[in-house]
Amino acid sequence: MIAIVLPQADDRILSALTFQKCKKFKVYLPDGDVEEDYPSLDICHGGWSEVQEPVLCILEPGAVPDPNFVSSIGLMVKLFPKYDVYHVNVVGEKPFPRKASAKKLFRLAIYEGVKAPLSSFVFRTETLKSRAVYKADGSLKVLPTVFSCSLKQPVRNVWRGKLQWEPSLPSDFTAVTRERLDLLRWTEEFFGDDDYPLSVGDQLEFFANEVAKLPLPEEELKAQMDSFLVSQGPIRRVRALNALKNALKV
């Protein structure tokens, strides 16, 4: 049995769930009266912290699972039960390899920008409850949570299952950029300097390109670059500022 958690009632997702070929799943919803509209679904009220099923996924608005979504997940969990995190490919995006280590996941989802929303991941319930990483508002940090939950085993990709992902565009792009910079700082702590997935040069260039997106005076952008661990030390600080200058030119 799989738990599918919806942070909010979404007609597109609920309609897609009625067409699942495999019916072995329970839908968790916040309080509200939608059961009468979807009598074929096993619906209960609650969030992912109340889930008792062994595995769960969280489908946010913008996610539309294909008819084989549940059956493909169930098959993978049955065939490969030792994994704590599974991934369903997003339609139109570069598919994940069968197994993705933390470094491979970094290059795909962060460095290359392959879309990997929370809705594309399936978690062992007990692992998510014990290793989730939270934002200040109590919501999940997506990729840090995935990294944290896949410490023992890589992320296992799900065969055949597909997920359409069409989220609404964010209204505050500056906030999105700041959140991404916070993610990059988190990855520095997670991987450490000696084991980071990028060379120092590539890391500085990548970080500088992200910092340059902020609509701030140059002095404040320099302060942002100085805040990264990779920028520490006199030689690296000079290289970081040069990388920022090149990014600002672009």
Side-chain angles (χ1 to χ4, degrees), residues 41-62:
L41 298 179
D42 182 3
I43 295 176
C44 67
H45 296 297
W48 65 264
S49 60
E50 284 79 50
V51 169
Q52 298 300 316
E53 287 70 27
V55 294
L56 68 86
C57 64
I58 302 172
L59 296 184
E60 299 180 301

Side-chain angles (χ1 to χ4, degrees), residues 204-224:
L204 288 171
E205 180 183 1
F206 181 51
F207 286 16
N209 288 335
E210 294 299 320
V211 169
K213 296 175 184 178
L214 290 172
L216 297 174
E218 188 169 343
E219 286 304 313
E220 293 186 37
L221 296 179
K222 290 179 180 179
Q224 289 286 331

Side-chain angles (χ1 to χ4, degrees), residues 187-198:
T187 63
E188 287 191 296
E189 296 283 355
F190 180 80
F191 289 106
D193 190 56
D194 295 333
D195 204 34
Y196 205 77
L198 302 176

Side-chain angles (χ1 to χ4, degrees), residues 94-108:
K94 180 179 179 179
F96 274 39
R98 288 193 175 185
K99 299 177 185 178
S101 64
K103 287 187 176 181
K104 184 65 176 179
L105 184 61
F106 174 95
R107 295 194 69 92
L108 282 170

Side-chain angles (χ1 to χ4, degrees), residues 16-33:
L17 292 177
T18 63
F19 292 101
Q20 292 299 305
K21 294 180 179 179
C22 176
K23 306 298 183 182
K24 295 180 179 179
F25 63 93
K26 179 181 288 188
V27 180
Y28 285 75
L29 284 171
D31 290 340
D33 250 351

Side-chain angles (χ1 to χ4, degrees), residues 80-94:
F80 305 98
K82 66 180 181 180
Y83 293 90
D84 290 308
V85 187
Y86 303 84
H87 175 265
V88 179
N89 288 324
V90 175
V91 175
E93 292 293 313
K94 180 179 179 179

